[in-house]
Amino acid sequence: MAEITASMVKELREKTDAPMMECKKALTEAAGDMARAEEILRVKLGNKANKAASRVTAEGIVGVHHSADGSIASMVELNCETDFVAKNDDFQAFARALAALVSEKAPVDVDALAALELDGVSVEERRKALIGKIGENITVRRFVRIAGHGRVSSYIHGGSRIGVLVDVQGGEESLGKDLAMQIAASKPVALDSTGVSAELIEKERSIASQKAAESGKPAEIIAKMVEGTVQKFLKEVTLLGQPFVKDDKQTVEQLLKARGAKVHAFTLFIVGEGIEKKQSDFAAEVAEAAAAAAR
């Protein structure tokens, strides 16, 4: 049997926000497999054990740029080590300049962006110079450029920590802004069910099956329960299936149909999403420094 250490329990608790004893039980049942333990907690505790999906750990901002006619827009995630630097004027100006460069030059990836010229030097040289000036590591994590079928609307939220671009064809200009705000608030993973990965659907189906099996109902009833749960999940995580935030009596799909509009694509950036930031023990660091000074 795999040894379940205190650090493993702590890590699972930080990922899920589940009670410590529940984390230990799940790890024991999963023989130390962290991913399986998370799934076990989802079965037992539902969405209360899904904190990790929304936790943001790294620092930085999202920079956005629009072309004059609104048909092209770009968004860049620029990361740093502390929230203090994320508020720095030079850091924020660099993010905006990168977004404008992406709109203009359409680089294929981050390396290609790094090689482009910005104010007479390469982006990489500008990045290194900014690191030297600020004294903190700075990285360009990702970017997106959308050449729209219609107008590309954007929305920035939470001190530029959440950014959205959405390509809307038809309807009034305010519709695009409303939908961008909807995406920032509801965080859909895809436009419709065809864009949801088979892996994610299968994971939800597995969790639903395990929950339904505990009901003791006949197999055919369980199958219907599972399918109903999966379909409900798909509506929650797809933009077109979600209720419209300003009128929850209609879905976004129904809203678009009524306005004679269509969403072709959207992108959502959450700063630091998926990045685990190193946690420091300040008291331990002070004690270590004091001990070193005494030596």
Side-chain angles (χ1 to χ4, degrees):
M1 180 180 292
E3 180 185 1
I4 308 303
T5 65
S7 63
M8 292 169 67
V9 174
K10 180 175 180 290
E11 180 182 352
L12 184 60
R13 176 169 167 73
E14 288 175 347
K15 285 184 174 182
T16 64
D17 208 27
M20 193 167 294
M21 288 307 298
E22 292 294 337
C23 291
K24 186 174 182 180
K25 289 177 185 177
L27 282 165
T28 301
E29 185 178 338
D33 184 326
M34 191 66 67
R36 174 57 184 154
E38 284 189 53
E39 187 172 312
I40 290 169
L41 287 173
R42 284 284 308 281
V43 172
K44 292 182 177 179
L45 304 178
N47 289 330
K48 292 179 181 179
N50 201 27
K51 177 184 174 185
S54 59
R55 189 197 296 122
V56 175
T57 54
E59 302 299 336
I61 64 169
V62 173
V64 170
H65 179 270
H66 289 268
S67 63
D69 63 359
S71 63
I72 296 175
S74 297
M75 184 164 62
V76 174
E77 179 182 345
L78 186 66
N79 293 131
C80 55
E81 296 178 44
T82 65
D83 180 56
F84 179 76
V85 167
K87 297 174 182 177
N88 178 277
D89 289 343
D90 290 336
F91 180 84
Q92 294 186 357
F94 186 44
R96 293 191 296 269
L98 291 176
L101 199 58
V102 169
S103 286
E104 180 185 353
K105 300 296 186 180
V108 296
D109 55 26
V110 171
D111 289 338
L113 173 60
L116 292 176
E117 184 177 303
L118 182 61
D119 296 333
V121 298
S122 71
V123 166
E124 179 62 11
E125 288 174 319
R126 276 288 303 273
R127 184 185 73 87
K128 289 179 178 178
L130 195 56
I131 290 173
K133 181 178 181 179
I134 291 177
E136 189 170 299
N137 191 28
I138 294 168
T139 59
V140 182
R141 185 185 182 197
R142 54 182 171 171
F143 66 82
V144 65
R145 179 182 187 272
I146 296 180
H149 293 76
R151 173 173 289 275
V152 183
S153 297
S154 65
Y155 178 66
I156 297 293
H157 182 72
S160 298
R161 294 182 65 86
I162 297 175
V164 176
L165 296 182
V166 57
D167 176 15
V168 183
Q169 186 175 22
E172 60 276 20
E173 187 174 340
S174 62
L175 176 61
K177 180 65 72 173
D178 285 343
L179 292 176
M181 292 175 66
Q182 163 113 18
I183 293 164
S186 303
K187 300 175 178 59
V189 301
L191 181 60
D192 56 34
S193 60
T194 63
V196 182
S197 71
E199 180 182 3
L200 184 56
I201 294 174
E202 190 52 41
K203 180 180 179 181
E204 292 301 318
R205 191 181 300 279
S206 172
I207 292 169
S209 297
Q210 293 174 68
K211 285 184 177 180
E214 295 175 355
S215 69
K217 297 184 185 301
E220 62 272 15
I221 299 298
I222 288 177
K224 291 180 180 179
M225 290 170 63
V226 170
E227 188 56 33
T229 299
V230 170
Q231 291 305 313
K232 181 175 181 290
F233 165 76
L234 288 174
K235 289 180 180 179
E236 291 172 349
V237 300
T238 57
L239 177 61
L240 297 185
Q242 291 179 346
F244 180 45
V245 288
K246 288 190 172 181
D247 178 11
D248 60 8
K249 292 182 173 58
Q250 62 177 338
T251 65
V252 171
E253 184 173 26
Q254 291 168 335
L255 169 72
L256 290 168
K257 186 176 180 180
R259 303 281 181 89
K262 180 178 182 179
V263 172
H264 288 273
F266 74 84
T267 299
L268 166 68
F269 279 178
I270 301 174
V271 169
E273 184 179 31
I275 299 175
E276 289 295 331
K277 187 171 69 173
K278 181 180 178 182
Q279 300 295 317
S280 60
D281 186 334
F282 182 70
E285 288 178 4
V286 172
E288 184 179 348
R295 289 195 297 270

Short mmCIF file of all heavy atoms in Angstrom, two decimals, residues 60-107:
data_model
loop_
_atom_site.label_atom_id
_atom_site.label_comp_id
_atom_site.label_asym_id
_atom_site.label_seq_id
_atom_site.Cartn_x
_atom_site.Cartn_y
_atom_site.Cartn_z
N GLY A 60 0.43 38.60 -12.94
CA GLY A 60 0.58 39.18 -14.27
C GLY A 60 -0.69 39.86 -14.71
O GLY A 60 -1.60 40.11 -13.90
N ILE A 61 -0.77 40.15 -16.01
CA ILE A 61 -1.95 40.80 -16.56
C ILE A 61 -2.22 40.28 -17.97
O ILE A 61 -1.39 39.62 -18.59
CB ILE A 61 -1.80 42.33 -16.62
CG1 ILE A 61 -0.66 42.73 -17.57
CG2 ILE A 61 -1.60 42.93 -15.25
CD1 ILE A 61 -0.64 44.22 -17.88
N VAL A 62 -3.40 40.63 -18.46
CA VAL A 62 -3.78 40.38 -19.85
C VAL A 62 -3.81 41.72 -20.57
O VAL A 62 -4.43 42.67 -20.09
CB VAL A 62 -5.17 39.71 -19.94
CG1 VAL A 62 -5.62 39.62 -21.39
CG2 VAL A 62 -5.13 38.32 -19.30
N GLY A 63 -3.11 41.79 -21.71
CA GLY A 63 -3.12 43.00 -22.53
C GLY A 63 -3.93 42.76 -23.80
O GLY A 63 -3.84 41.69 -24.39
N VAL A 64 -4.72 43.74 -24.21
CA VAL A 64 -5.60 43.60 -25.38
C VAL A 64 -5.38 44.75 -26.35
O VAL A 64 -5.10 45.88 -25.94
CB VAL A 64 -7.09 43.56 -24.93
CG1 VAL A 64 -8.02 43.66 -26.13
CG2 VAL A 64 -7.38 42.29 -24.16
N HIS A 65 -5.51 44.44 -27.64
CA HIS A 65 -5.41 45.49 -28.67
C HIS A 65 -6.43 45.22 -29.75
O HIS A 65 -6.65 44.07 -30.16
CB HIS A 65 -4.01 45.51 -29.29
CG HIS A 65 -3.86 46.55 -30.37
ND1 HIS A 65 -4.13 46.27 -31.70
CD2 HIS A 65 -3.50 47.87 -30.31
CE1 HIS A 65 -3.93 47.37 -32.41
NE2 HIS A 65 -3.55 48.35 -31.60
N HIS A 66 -7.10 46.30 -30.24
CA HIS A 66 -8.07 46.21 -31.33
C HIS A 66 -7.58 47.01 -32.53
O HIS A 66 -6.97 48.07 -32.37
CB HIS A 66 -9.42 46.80 -30.90
CG HIS A 66 -10.17 45.96 -29.92
ND1 HIS A 66 -11.08 45.01 -30.30
CD2 HIS A 66 -10.12 45.93 -28.57
CE1 HIS A 66 -11.58 44.44 -29.22
NE2 HIS A 66 -11.02 44.97 -28.16
N SER A 67 -7.88 46.51 -33.74
CA SER A 67 -7.64 47.31 -34.93
C SER A 67 -8.66 48.44 -34.95
O SER A 67 -9.67 48.41 -34.24
CB SER A 67 -7.78 46.46 -36.19
OG SER A 67 -9.12 45.96 -36.30
N ALA A 68 -8.41 49.44 -35.78
CA ALA A 68 -9.28 50.62 -35.81
C ALA A 68 -10.72 50.28 -36.13
O ALA A 68 -11.66 50.87 -35.57
CB ALA A 68 -8.74 51.63 -36.82
N ASP A 69 -10.94 49.32 -37.02
CA ASP A 69 -12.31 48.97 -37.41
C ASP A 69 -12.91 47.85 -36.55
O ASP A 69 -14.05 47.44 -36.76
CB ASP A 69 -12.37 48.58 -38.89
CG ASP A 69 -11.55 47.33 -39.21
OD1 ASP A 69 -10.92 46.76 -38.28
OD2 ASP A 69 -11.54 46.92 -40.39
N GLY A 70 -12.14 47.34 -35.59
CA GLY A 70 -12.66 46.32 -34.69
C GLY A 70 -12.72 44.92 -35.27
O GLY A 70 -13.22 44.01 -34.60
N SER A 71 -12.19 44.73 -36.47
CA SER A 71 -12.28 43.40 -37.10
C SER A 71 -11.15 42.46 -36.68
O SER A 71 -11.24 41.25 -36.87
CB SER A 71 -12.27 43.54 -38.63
OG SER A 71 -11.04 44.09 -39.07
N ILE A 72 -10.09 43.02 -36.10
CA ILE A 72 -8.96 42.22 -35.63
C ILE A 72 -8.65 42.63 -34.19
O ILE A 72 -8.62 43.81 -33.87
CB ILE A 72 -7.71 42.42 -36.50
CG1 ILE A 72 -7.95 41.92 -37.93
CG2 ILE A 72 -6.50 41.70 -35.90
CD1 ILE A 72 -6.80 42.21 -38.88
N ALA A 73 -8.44 41.64 -33.35
CA ALA A 73 -8.07 41.92 -31.96
C ALA A 73 -7.09 40.86 -31.48
O ALA A 73 -7.12 39.71 -31.94
CB ALA A 73 -9.30 41.95 -31.06
N SER A 74 -6.23 41.27 -30.56
CA SER A 74 -5.24 40.35 -30.00
C SER A 74 -5.23 40.47 -28.48
O SER A 74 -5.57 41.52 -27.92
CB SER A 74 -3.85 40.66 -30.55
OG SER A 74 -3.82 40.46 -31.94
N MET A 75 -4.79 39.38 -27.85
CA MET A 75 -4.74 39.34 -26.39
C MET A 75 -3.47 38.58 -25.99
O MET A 75 -3.17 37.53 -26.55
CB MET A 75 -6.00 38.65 -25.86
CG MET A 75 -6.12 38.62 -24.36
SD MET A 75 -7.83 38.23 -23.83
CE MET A 75 -8.06 36.58 -24.53
N VAL A 76 -2.74 39.14 -25.03
CA VAL A 76 -1.48 38.56 -24.57
C VAL A 76 -1.52 38.39 -23.05
O VAL A 76 -1.99 39.29 -22.34
CB VAL A 76 -0.28 39.47 -24.94
CG1 VAL A 76 1.01 38.94 -24.34
CG2 VAL A 76 -0.15 39.59 -26.45
N GLU A 77 -1.03 37.25 -22.57
CA GLU A 77 -0.85 37.07 -21.12
C GLU A 77 0.63 37.26 -20.80
O GLU A 77 1.48 36.54 -21.31
CB GLU A 77 -1.30 35.70 -20.65
CG GLU A 77 -1.07 35.52 -19.14
CD GLU A 77 -1.46 34.14 -18.61
OE1 GLU A 77 -2.16 33.39 -19.32
OE2 GLU A 77 -1.04 33.81 -17.47
N LEU A 78 0.92 38.25 -19.97
CA LEU A 78 2.29 38.54 -19.54
C LEU A 78 2.39 38.25 -18.04
O LEU A 78 1.64 38.81 -17.25
CB LEU A 78 2.62 40.01 -19.81
CG LEU A 78 4.05 40.46 -19.57
CD1 LEU A 78 5.01 39.77 -20.55
CD2 LEU A 78 4.18 41.98 -19.71
N ASN A 79 3.31 37.37 -17.67
CA ASN A 79 3.42 36.94 -16.28
C ASN A 79 4.63 37.54 -15.57
O ASN A 79 5.64 37.85 -16.19
CB ASN A 79 3.53 35.41 -16.20
CG ASN A 79 2.27 34.70 -16.62
OD1 ASN A 79 2.31 33.79 -17.42
ND2 ASN A 79 1.13 35.13 -16.10
N CYS A 80 4.47 37.68 -14.26
CA CYS A 80 5.56 38.14 -13.40
C CYS A 80 5.45 37.39 -12.08
O CYS A 80 4.60 36.51 -11.93
CB CYS A 80 5.48 39.65 -13.18
SG CYS A 80 3.88 40.22 -12.54
N GLU A 81 6.31 37.73 -11.14
CA GLU A 81 6.35 36.98 -9.88
C GLU A 81 5.42 37.51 -8.80
O GLU A 81 4.96 36.75 -7.96
CB GLU A 81 7.79 36.96 -9.35
CG GLU A 81 8.77 36.23 -10.25
CD GLU A 81 10.19 36.29 -9.70
OE1 GLU A 81 10.36 36.10 -8.47
OE2 GLU A 81 11.12 36.55 -10.48
N THR A 82 5.16 38.81 -8.80
CA THR A 82 4.36 39.40 -7.72
C THR A 82 3.27 40.32 -8.27
O THR A 82 3.39 40.88 -9.36
CB THR A 82 5.23 40.23 -6.76
OG1 THR A 82 5.78 41.35 -7.46
CG2 THR A 82 6.37 39.39 -6.18
N ASP A 83 2.24 40.48 -7.48
CA ASP A 83 1.14 41.37 -7.83
C ASP A 83 1.61 42.82 -7.90
O ASP A 83 1.09 43.63 -8.67
CB ASP A 83 0.01 41.22 -6.79
CG ASP A 83 -1.18 42.11 -7.10
OD1 ASP A 83 -1.72 41.98 -8.21
OD2 ASP A 83 -1.53 42.93 -6.24
N PHE A 84 2.61 43.15 -7.10
CA PHE A 84 3.16 44.51 -7.10
C PHE A 84 3.69 44.88 -8.48
O PHE A 84 3.42 45.97 -9.00
CB PHE A 84 4.28 44.61 -6.06
CG PHE A 84 4.93 45.96 -5.99
CD1 PHE A 84 4.29 47.02 -5.37
CD2 PHE A 84 6.18 46.18 -6.54
CE1 PHE A 84 4.88 48.28 -5.31
CE2 PHE A 84 6.77 47.43 -6.50
CZ PHE A 84 6.12 48.48 -5.87
N VAL A 85 4.44 43.97 -9.10
CA VAL A 85 4.99 44.23 -10.44
C VAL A 85 3.88 44.27 -11.49
O VAL A 85 3.95 45.03 -12.45
CB VAL A 85 6.07 43.18 -10.80
CG1 VAL A 85 6.43 43.24 -12.28
CG2 VAL A 85 7.31 43.42 -9.96
N ALA A 86 2.84 43.46 -11.30
CA ALA A 86 1.72 43.45 -12.26
C ALA A 86 1.06 44.82 -12.36
O ALA A 86 0.44 45.14 -13.38
CB ALA A 86 0.69 42.40 -11.85
N LYS A 87 1.22 45.66 -11.34
CA LYS A 87 0.63 47.00 -11.34
C LYS A 87 1.61 48.06 -11.84
O LYS A 87 1.26 49.24 -11.92
CB LYS A 87 0.17 47.36 -9.93
CG LYS A 87 -0.94 46.44 -9.41
CD LYS A 87 -1.27 46.74 -7.96
CE LYS A 87 -2.34 45.78 -7.45
NZ LYS A 87 -2.64 45.99 -6.01
N ASN A 88 2.83 47.64 -12.16
CA ASN A 88 3.86 48.56 -12.61
C ASN A 88 3.51 49.13 -13.99
O ASN A 88 3.10 48.39 -14.90
CB ASN A 88 5.20 47.82 -12.66
CG ASN A 88 6.33 48.68 -13.18
OD1 ASN A 88 6.51 48.82 -14.38
ND2 ASN A 88 7.11 49.23 -12.27
N ASP A 89 3.67 50.43 -14.18
CA ASP A 89 3.30 51.08 -15.45
C ASP A 89 4.09 50.53 -16.63
O ASP A 89 3.53 50.32 -17.71
CB ASP A 89 3.52 52.59 -15.34
CG ASP A 89 2.50 53.27 -14.43
OD1 ASP A 89 1.46 52.64 -14.15
OD2 ASP A 89 2.76 54.41 -14.00
N ASP A 90 5.40 50.31 -16.45
CA ASP A 90 6.24 49.79 -17.54
C ASP A 90 5.82 48.38 -17.92
O ASP A 90 5.80 48.02 -19.10
CB ASP A 90 7.71 49.80 -17.13
CG ASP A 90 8.28 51.22 -17.03
OD1 ASP A 90 7.72 52.12 -17.68
OD2 ASP A 90 9.27 51.40 -16.30
N PHE A 91 5.50 47.58 -16.92
CA PHE A 91 5.05 46.21 -17.16
C PHE A 91 3.75 46.20 -17.96
O PHE A 91 3.60 45.48 -18.95
CB PHE A 91 4.87 45.49 -15.82
CG PHE A 91 4.41 44.06 -15.94
CD1 PHE A 91 5.33 43.03 -16.16
CD2 PHE A 91 3.07 43.72 -15.81
CE1 PHE A 91 4.91 41.71 -16.25
CE2 PHE A 91 2.64 42.42 -15.91
CZ PHE A 91 3.57 41.40 -16.13
N GLN A 92 2.81 47.05 -17.56
CA GLN A 92 1.52 47.12 -18.24
C GLN A 92 1.66 47.66 -19.66
O GLN A 92 1.00 47.18 -20.59
CB GLN A 92 0.54 47.97 -17.43
CG GLN A 92 0.18 47.34 -16.09
CD GLN A 92 -0.89 48.11 -15.35
OE1 GLN A 92 -1.35 49.15 -15.79
NE2 GLN A 92 -1.30 47.58 -14.20
N ALA A 93 2.55 48.63 -19.84
CA ALA A 93 2.78 49.19 -21.17
C ALA A 93 3.38 48.12 -22.09
O ALA A 93 3.05 48.07 -23.29
CB ALA A 93 3.71 50.39 -21.08
N PHE A 94 4.26 47.29 -21.55
CA PHE A 94 4.87 46.21 -22.33
C PHE A 94 3.80 45.23 -22.80
O PHE A 94 3.79 44.79 -23.96
CB PHE A 94 5.93 45.50 -21.49
CG PHE A 94 6.73 44.46 -22.22
CD1 PHE A 94 7.24 44.70 -23.50
CD2 PHE A 94 6.99 43.24 -21.62
CE1 PHE A 94 7.99 43.73 -24.17
CE2 PHE A 94 7.74 42.27 -22.28
CZ PHE A 94 8.23 42.51 -23.56
N ALA A 95 2.85 44.89 -21.93
CA ALA A 95 1.77 43.97 -22.29
C ALA A 95 0.92 44.55 -23.43
O ALA A 95 0.57 43.84 -24.38
CB ALA A 95 0.90 43.67 -21.07
N ARG A 96 0.60 45.83 -23.33
CA ARG A 96 -0.20 46.46 -24.39
C ARG A 96 0.57 46.53 -25.71
O ARG A 96 -0.01 46.30 -26.78
CB ARG A 96 -0.63 47.86 -23.95
CG ARG A 96 -1.63 47.88 -22.79
CD ARG A 96 -2.21 49.27 -22.60
NE ARG A 96 -1.20 50.24 -22.21
CZ ARG A 96 -0.88 50.53 -20.96
NH1 ARG A 96 -1.48 49.89 -19.96
NH2 ARG A 96 0.04 51.43 -20.68
N ALA A 97 1.85 46.82 -25.62
CA ALA A 97 2.68 46.89 -26.83
C ALA A 97 2.78 45.52 -27.50
O ALA A 97 2.76 45.42 -28.73
CB ALA A 97 4.08 47.40 -26.47
N LEU A 98 2.87 44.48 -26.71
CA LEU A 98 2.92 43.12 -27.26
C LEU A 98 1.61 42.78 -27.98
O LEU A 98 1.62 42.19 -29.06
CB LEU A 98 3.19 42.10 -26.15
CG LEU A 98 4.58 42.13 -25.52
CD1 LEU A 98 4.65 41.12 -24.38
CD2 LEU A 98 5.65 41.83 -26.56
N ALA A 99 0.49 43.14 -27.37
CA ALA A 99 -0.81 42.86 -27.99
C ALA A 99 -0.93 43.59 -29.33
O ALA A 99 -1.43 43.02 -30.32
CB ALA A 99 -1.94 43.27 -27.05
N ALA A 100 -0.45 44.83 -29.38
CA ALA A 100 -0.50 45.60 -30.63
C ALA A 100 0.39 44.96 -31.69
O ALA A 100 0.04 44.89 -32.88
CB ALA A 100 -0.06 47.04 -30.38
N LEU A 101 1.54 44.45 -31.27
CA LEU A 101 2.47 43.81 -32.19
C LEU A 101 1.89 42.51 -32.75
O LEU A 101 2.05 42.21 -33.94
CB LEU A 101 3.79 43.52 -31.47
CG LEU A 101 5.03 43.27 -32.32
CD1 LEU A 101 5.31 44.46 -33.23
CD2 LEU A 101 6.24 42.98 -31.42
N VAL A 102 1.19 41.78 -31.91
CA VAL A 102 0.54 40.54 -32.36
C VAL A 102 -0.53 40.87 -33.40
O VAL A 102 -0.66 40.19 -34.43
CB VAL A 102 -0.08 39.78 -31.17
CG1 VAL A 102 -0.98 38.65 -31.66
CG2 VAL A 102 1.02 39.21 -30.28
N SER A 103 -1.31 41.91 -33.15
CA SER A 103 -2.34 42.32 -34.12
C SER A 103 -1.72 42.68 -35.47
O SER A 103 -2.23 42.30 -36.53
CB SER A 103 -3.12 43.52 -33.59
OG SER A 103 -4.01 43.16 -32.57
N GLU A 104 -0.60 43.41 -35.43
CA GLU A 104 0.02 43.91 -36.65
C GLU A 104 0.77 42.83 -37.42
O GLU A 104 0.66 42.72 -38.64
CB GLU A 104 0.97 45.05 -36.30
CG GLU A 104 1.67 45.65 -37.52
CD GLU A 104 2.70 46.69 -37.14
OE1 GLU A 104 2.79 47.04 -35.94
OE2 GLU A 104 3.42 47.15 -38.04
N LYS A 105 1.55 42.00 -36.69
CA LYS A 105 2.48 41.08 -37.35
C LYS A 105 2.01 39.62 -37.40
O LYS A 105 2.56 38.82 -38.16
CB LYS A 105 3.83 41.12 -36.64
CG LYS A 105 4.50 42.50 -36.64
CD LYS A 105 4.85 42.95 -38.04
CE LYS A 105 5.63 44.26 -38.00
NZ LYS A 105 5.99 44.75 -39.36
N ALA A 106 1.02 39.26 -36.60
CA ALA A 106 0.48 37.90 -36.58
C ALA A 106 1.55 36.82 -36.45
O ALA A 106 1.65 35.91 -37.28
CB ALA A 106 -0.36 37.65 -37.83
N PRO A 107 2.39 36.86 -35.41
CA PRO A 107 3.39 35.80 -35.22
C PRO A 107 2.71 34.46 -34.95
O PRO A 107 1.58 34.41 -34.45
CB PRO A 107 4.17 36.28 -33.98
CG PRO A 107 3.20 37.15 -33.24
CD PRO A 107 2.40 37.84 -34.30
#
